[in-house]
Amino acid sequence: MADSYGIRIEGVRKRYGEGDTAVDALRHVDMQVAPGEVVGLIGPSGSGKSTLLKCLGAVIEPTAGRMILGEQVIYDDGWKIPDLRALRRDKIGFVFQAPYLIPFLDVTDNVALLPMLAGHSNAESRKRALELLQALDVGHRAKAMPSQLSGGEQQRVSIARALVNRPPVILADEPTAPLDSERALAVIRILNQMASQYETAIIVVTHDEKILPTFKRIYHIRDGKTHEEVGEGRGFD
């Protein structure tokens, strides 16, 4: 593991409620993902995966611990960032099970919207969008509407959208769940390529057994605690 990191999590805990009714969703989570690395996060339902992803995505606040994105401490027993919405927009990319593309915007505008919201010019935002769409082999669909895309094409556009603000971290929540084996492996191959090209740390939450052999490292979360495992890491070197 390199000294630098895209994301580092130390002793993160999340407790819901108080007193006798308190529930510890996360008891002690440690995780470190280097720039350019893709790791899997697995675990049974109720193990804390969703809670951890929400903490990492600055959607909910942990109870304790420390989180660092890039070289910036974002949480240390309290948020260190005044504008969490800007943090999510600029520093964290999200890829979901469903693409959640805006139906009345074409493909380019779906991707260009985030950098526009971040203050970049229309020309710069669209230039970034088109570069990523070309890299993801959907440049020929740049003027298409989301309803005209296949499921695999929609997921590629959602990956472009996650990358467009060049975040140090991407959180992918079950990104291959609705896809068949061939398309699921294609999505993971793309995530690996993009992680390497853009030096992005990517965490993939998954139940999808067909993609597990692609990970070199896997974090297994059980009873609110993480356990690192060495994966098979086949097929993407």
Side-chain angles (χ1 to χ4, degrees):
M1 177 70 68
D3 291 337
S4 61
Y5 42 80
I7 187 164
R8 185 171 179 173
I9 308 153
E10 300 171 344
V12 164
R13 295 191 294 114
K14 177 60 181 177
R15 171 172 286 188
Y16 292 104
E18 300 291 340
D20 294 339
T21 61
V23 175
D24 290 315
L26 299 175
R27 298 173 184 271
H28 189 99
V29 172
D30 292 320
M31 183 181 291
Q32 187 169 322
V33 186
E37 185 181 24
V38 180
V39 302
L41 178 63
I42 64 173
S45 296
S47 60
K49 296 190 307 299
S50 294
T51 298
L52 177 56
L53 214 64
K54 289 175 182 177
C55 289
L56 296 178
V59 176
I60 62 175
E61 182 172 356
T63 302
R66 195 165 184 254
M67 298 192 299
I68 304 164
L69 295 187
E71 300 300 325
Q72 185 175 28
V73 177
I74 65 166
Y75 184 88
D76 192 351
D77 291 337
W79 292 114
K80 302 302 179 184
I81 303 296
D83 189 344
L84 294 181
R85 183 165 58 179
L87 172 71
R88 289 189 293 268
R89 183 190 65 213
D90 300 336
K91 300 293 186 181
I92 306 168
F94 297 91
V95 179
F96 302 102
Q97 181 173 333
Y100 294 118
L101 302 178
I102 299 172
F104 53 83
L105 296 180
D106 69 19
V107 164
T108 302
D109 285 341
N110 260 280
V111 179
L113 181 60
L114 276 180
M116 287 181 192
L117 291 173
H120 295 281
S121 69
N122 179 68
E124 171 63 18
S125 298
R126 292 178 66 83
K127 180 174 181 287
R128 284 192 188 187
L130 288 169
E131 286 173 353
L132 280 166
L133 292 170
Q134 291 289 352
L136 289 162
D137 294 327
V138 282
H140 63 294
R141 307 294 270 156
K143 295 183 179 180
M145 302 303 286
S147 61
Q148 298 173 306
L149 305 180
S150 69
E153 288 173 336
Q154 289 185 20
Q155 198 65 302
R156 287 174 185 239
V157 174
S158 75
I159 292 170
R161 181 181 57 194
L163 283 162
V164 71
N165 275 342
R166 300 166 186 168
V169 171
I170 286 179
L171 306 176
D173 189 7
E174 300 282 0
T176 64
L179 303 176
D180 60 31
S181 294
E182 182 178 354
R183 289 183 175 88
L185 290 171
V187 166
I188 295 301
R189 184 177 292 107
I190 288 167
L191 288 176
N192 275 269
Q193 290 169 347
M194 295 297 101
S196 177
Q197 183 173 344
Y198 295 100
E199 285 292 289
T200 305
I202 301 180
I203 298 173
V204 179
V205 174
T206 187
H207 286 102
D208 192 346
E209 293 187 0
K210 59 183 173 285
I211 68 171
L212 292 182
T214 69
F215 297 111
K216 294 181 179 179
R217 290 199 306 129
I218 294 171
Y219 283 95
H220 196 141
I221 186 165
R222 296 189 294 268
D223 300 322
K225 298 181 179 180
T226 45
H227 307 268
E228 185 179 349
E229 303 173 0
V230 176
E232 296 180 37
R234 299 200 307 259
F236 298 114
D237 289 329

